[in-house]
Amino acid sequence: MKYDLRYPSRRSILRGMAAMGAAYAGPSLLSGLKRARADYVTTRPSLPPNFGNGKSVAIIGGGVAGLTSAHVLANAGFQVAVFEADSRYGGRSLTVRPTDGAHQDWWFSRYNDKRLFPSMYVDRYKEAKGPNKDTEQVANFKIEYWKTGLNKRQPVDLFLNAGPGRIPSNHVNLIALCQEIGVSLEPYFFLSYSNLLQSEKFEKGKPVPFNQVNYSLFAEMSKLGIQSTTGPDAEALVNLYRQFGGVDAKGNFTDDTSRLGFSRVPGGWRDKGEIRGQFGAKAILDSGFVGQSGANPELTTGSFLFNSSNIDWQASLMQPIGGMDRIWQQLLVQPIPDRAARGGAMRTAMDNAFGSCRPAGTGAGGAYVGDLVYLNAPVKRVTVNKDTNKVNLSFGTINLICAGSNPTVDVNFDFDYCISTMAPNLLQGILKNADATFTSALGKVDQTPAIKVGWQGRNRFWEEEDQIYGGISWTTDIISQIWYPSEDFTAPTGILTGAYNRGEPAEDFGKLGQSDRIAKALAGGEKLHPGFKNKVYADAGLTIAWQNMPYQVGGWASDTAKTQEAVYQQITAMPQGRLLCAGDDYSYWPGWQEGSVASAYCAISSIAHTIDRAKYPLGHCTGG
């Protein structure tokens, strides 16, 4: 049987309306958040200050999961050491800032006036493999200043979130952590009705505003619903359709509706403006804006029109004021007991072995989580010893990059516990003596390639020309998306995320040299904003392919708990002796910092459970 897509069946319309009604009849979001907040209280173990005295914990990885673990454990009295293979903190939470020295000084005066752990400021990075492995990317942003208002003569705070960039309201563990460590949050706009949609199959490739397409479709659905309505609830249903679609009793847009937006904005006196025209259902269905039913939006273009219906991508989200790296930066400067950072023979031995791998504070007094971190310290072997209840970390005999470090024998240390935040696929290659099923499963985790591109606007043309204040524009081009800054509206300039793609297109993009990446990103931007290459600093674009970055294997695990259920059960069969794993890959939130924090709390709970089983049950961490 053939179907005319211009006229969906009455049955499909009624079925869709019924599903909508059922969704609105479900439990309220507020009640769900209250339950989640209650779960949060039991998720993060509350450990007394001396709980871990005499016990040592090695943490592999200095990202959000690793630093969260260090923060909690050090303040519970554990002797903690964090080993980060890379030369920077943060893991996949990478925020890139202007290389300009004066701007750096201003930034420290605003966010870190003691200049603790100054390498937290990142202005460059380099991929470790692929055609750009020898290309250092530097944030040569042009510094501009506010000309008026409260910020007059202050520089615009410029940054590119090259990794995570937003926080949903149901990420309760992360939000509570931000509150605990002093990270202020502000709105992040996922959707503005002025955002643009673009496809070569629609309007000859011309970009069109989101609300013009969205409400055109709503009107078409409402008209079909009105024509299909019979029975005792007909009057109420017709009223519902009219409200849903902004239409009259016959299903037509009324002359005075503004849902479609204005092609010419109304003014004073008799300047009534002009309302945009309506698009037909057939054109929208053929556009590619609706996406494929059941497709994974993380691996496909998804539905441009309905993405914001997902609670993780709701229209209004949150972001840390000043950039996503503010979370791990604040973790670095959290105070800890001095003995956790400086005491013990093992600490002295590690300092002697690693030299300046352990970045110093500023001598400002006290001790901080950052004092626990050794950078440029890749672990070469992790050995689980179930007989002695120890985990041995070996660093090999090679020079560890840091000044004064030149070991001639195998450098290794035994710890009472170890939390690995490495990607499962990388851990498999260095893990010894763990269960065979667990070790094998680590290497089977599918990882999703991901890319981003950053541009600085010569002005905020998206605001001035298209009335876009935050949100995301979508295109079927390889760049997939353009994110607009949700901060500093009306500033002289701003940073755009000029591409964000994942899956196979991101894999292809990562194989390109820098000049070809820039060319493709400019061409994609042109489709959404004609004249794009002259509106941004085209010679200062930044690109990143996460599958090519040092000590990374991709952007995130490909929703392992759902797509590889057996594998997920195997990699979360913990502890393995005294080895535990944390990070978003070991959570139901792959790619989100919520997963990093929640899994870190599970690892800490497991350690506490081995010490006092009665007082510290594992609860939800084991599905209980």
Side-chain angles (χ1 to χ4, degrees):
M1 179 182 295
K2 294 183 178 180
Y3 295 92
D4 189 337
L5 293 180
R6 293 173 297 178
Y7 305 105
S9 71
R10 294 187 179 190
R11 176 179 295 178
S12 63
I13 290 290
L14 293 175
R15 183 181 300 155
M17 292 296 183
M20 184 186 306
Y24 283 110
S28 73
L29 174 61
L30 182 59
S31 66
L33 283 177
K34 285 180 179 177
R35 288 195 298 273
R37 183 64 64 177
D39 284 348
Y40 156 73
V41 174
T42 59
T43 298
R44 186 194 191 281
S46 179
L47 306 179
N50 297 323
F51 183 78
N53 281 5
K55 301 291 185 181
S56 60
V57 184
I59 298 172
I60 304 175
V64 172
L67 295 177
T68 298
S69 301
H71 165 57
V72 176
L73 290 168
N75 279 292
F78 288 88
Q79 188 79 33
V80 179
V82 181
F83 301 102
E84 170 55 54
D86 210 339
S87 59
R88 61 175 181 83
Y89 311 97
R92 279 166 291 146
S93 179
L94 170 61
T95 301
V96 193
R97 305 180 181 282
T99 193
D100 180 87
H103 186 88
Q104 291 190 34
D105 290 339
W106 169 83
W107 184 90
F108 277 107
S109 70
R110 180 175 183 180
Y111 294 106
N112 181 2
D113 59 356
K114 294 181 180 179
R115 297 187 79 102
L116 293 168
F117 312 106
S119 60
M120 68 167 58
Y121 188 103
V122 178
D123 64 352
R124 64 195 65 210
Y125 60 89
K126 185 188 296 186
E127 294 178 10
K129 59 183 179 180
N132 298 315
K133 67 178 181 180
D134 297 321
T135 303
E136 186 174 57
Q137 303 215 31
V138 182
N140 291 309
F141 298 147
K142 185 179 186 300
I143 309 304
E144 296 199 34
Y145 295 81
W146 289 87
K147 298 177 176 61
T148 59
L150 295 175
N151 293 320
K152 187 176 180 179
R153 290 188 290 276
Q154 291 291 313
V156 180
D157 196 358
L158 301 174
F159 55 86
L160 170 68
N161 286 323
R166 51 207 179 198
I167 302 174
S169 62
N170 58 341
H171 287 195
V172 292
N173 288 292
L174 180 62
I175 294 169
L177 177 66
C178 289
Q179 184 178 25
E180 175 188 346
I181 64 177
V183 175
S184 299
L185 302 177
E186 64 184 356
Y188 169 94
F189 301 109
F190 183 87
L191 173 65
S192 161
Y193 284 172
S194 295
N195 292 150
L196 302 172
L197 305 178
Q198 188 276 333
S199 167
E200 298 302 319
K201 298 179 180 179
F202 190 80
E203 290 291 293
K204 299 180 179 180
K206 177 184 176 182
V208 294
F210 174 90
N211 64 329
Q212 187 179 10
V213 179
N214 190 56
Y215 285 114
S216 291
L217 181 60
F218 281 16
E220 291 289 313
M221 294 171 67
S222 296
K223 187 172 185 177
L224 289 166
I226 289 171
Q227 294 171 351
S228 304
T229 300
T230 59
D233 295 325
E235 182 177 351
L237 284 170
V238 168
N239 179 62
L240 170 63
Y241 298 144
R242 290 188 63 181
Q243 298 297 323
F244 176 70
V247 296
D248 61 22
K250 295 183 179 179
N252 300 312
F253 265 125
T254 56
D255 291 339
D256 61 349
T257 185
S258 61
R259 291 194 178 198
L260 295 172
F262 296 96
S263 57
R264 185 169 60 80
V265 178
W269 288 20
R270 297 181 180 181
D271 184 5
K272 65 178 295 185
E274 295 180 5
I275 294 172
R276 297 188 183 113
Q278 181 185 354
F279 297 122
K282 180 64 166 62
I284 296 172
L285 291 171
D286 289 345
S287 66
F289 297 156
V290 178
Q292 298 177 345
S293 177
N296 184 344
E298 294 288 8
L299 299 176
T300 66
T301 55
S303 173
F304 299 168
L305 291 174
F306 307 126
N307 277 333
S308 63
S309 297
N310 186 320
I311 192 171
D312 296 337
W313 297 340
Q314 58 193 283
S316 180
L317 304 169
M318 286 173 283
Q319 63 181 9
I321 293 176
M324 191 57 73
D325 60 349
R326 294 296 302 130
I327 297 173
W328 60 258
Q329 287 173 348
Q330 278 298 104
L331 282 167
L332 284 177
V333 301
Q334 293 305 299
I336 59 173
D338 188 73
R339 64 182 181 277
R342 310 185 197 283
M346 179 181 287
R347 178 71 64 192
T348 301
M350 288 188 292
D351 285 349
N352 290 336
F354 297 131
S356 61
C357 281
R358 185 181 176 203
T362 61
Y368 306 91
V369 170
D371 289 315
L372 306 175
V373 183
Y374 298 92
L375 296 176
N376 295 308
V379 178
K380 299 301 178 66
R381 187 173 64 249
V382 178
T383 304
V384 176
N385 192 326
K386 296 180 181 179
D387 295 330
T388 63
N389 283 329
K390 299 286 185 179
V391 180
N392 180 269
L393 268 59
S394 171
F395 300 86
T397 59
I398 63 170
N399 188 298
L400 294 173
I401 302 175
C402 308
S405 173
N406 189 20
T408 57
V409 296
D410 181 58
V411 175
N412 68 93
F413 298 97
D414 283 331
F415 293 87
D416 295 308
Y417 302 93
C418 176
I419 299 176
S420 171
T421 70
M422 298 174 67
N425 317 70
L426 297 179
L427 177 60
Q428 185 207 35
I430 64 172
L431 181 59
K432 308 297 180 184
N433 289 0
D435 292 343
T437 301
F438 173 82
T439 305
S440 175
L442 293 173
K444 296 177 182 177
V445 174
D446 291 335
Q447 297 283 344
T448 300
I451 63 99
K452 277 190 175 182
V453 173
W455 302 109
Q456 181 181 8
R458 292 181 178 273
N459 63 333
R460 293 175 81 100
F461 59 87
W462 54 94
E463 296 176 356
E464 298 171 12
E465 297 175 9
D466 298 296
Q467 297 81 56
I468 294 175
Y469 293 87
I472 299 172
S473 289
W474 302 81
T475 172
T476 54
D477 184 83
I478 192 172
I479 68 168
S480 182
Q481 309 170 30
I482 289 182
W483 297 13
Y484 307 94
S486 290
E487 70 284 339
D488 291 340
F489 296 135
T490 74
T493 186
I495 303 298
L496 296 170
T497 300
Y500 177 44
N501 213 333
R502 54 262 179 251
E504 189 174 337
E507 184 74 28
D508 294 340
F509 194 90
K511 295 176 182 178
L512 299 175
Q514 179 70 354
S515 60
D516 289 335
R517 289 183 187 179
I518 292 293
K520 277 191 174 292
L522 288 172
E526 187 78 18
K527 293 181 178 181
L528 285 166
H529 296 281
F532 185 81
K533 67 179 180 180
N534 296 319
K535 297 176 180 180
V536 299
Y537 292 99
D539 59 344
L542 298 170
T543 76
I544 189 168
W546 277 102
Q547 62 272 20
N548 294 343
M549 288 293 286
Y551 307 104
Q552 304 293 339
V553 291
W556 55 84
S558 302
D559 211 357
T560 315
K562 295 181 181 178
T563 62
Q564 297 177 280
E565 196 170 343
V567 170
Y568 186 77
Q569 292 299 313
Q570 291 161 355
I571 67 170
T572 54
M574 289 184 281
Q576 291 288 315
R578 293 292 179 87
L579 171 71
L580 305 120
C581 297
D584 57 288
D585 287 0
Y586 301 92
S587 79
Y588 286 84
W589 298 102
W592 294 98
Q593 291 176 109
E594 173 71 8
S596 296
V597 176
S599 61
Y601 290 162
C602 281
I604 296 165
S605 294
S606 182
I607 291 174
H609 184 67
T610 66
I611 297 173
D612 190 336
R613 292 177 179 271
K615 190 172 181 179
Y616 297 98
L618 288 174
H620 292 298
C621 292
T622 57

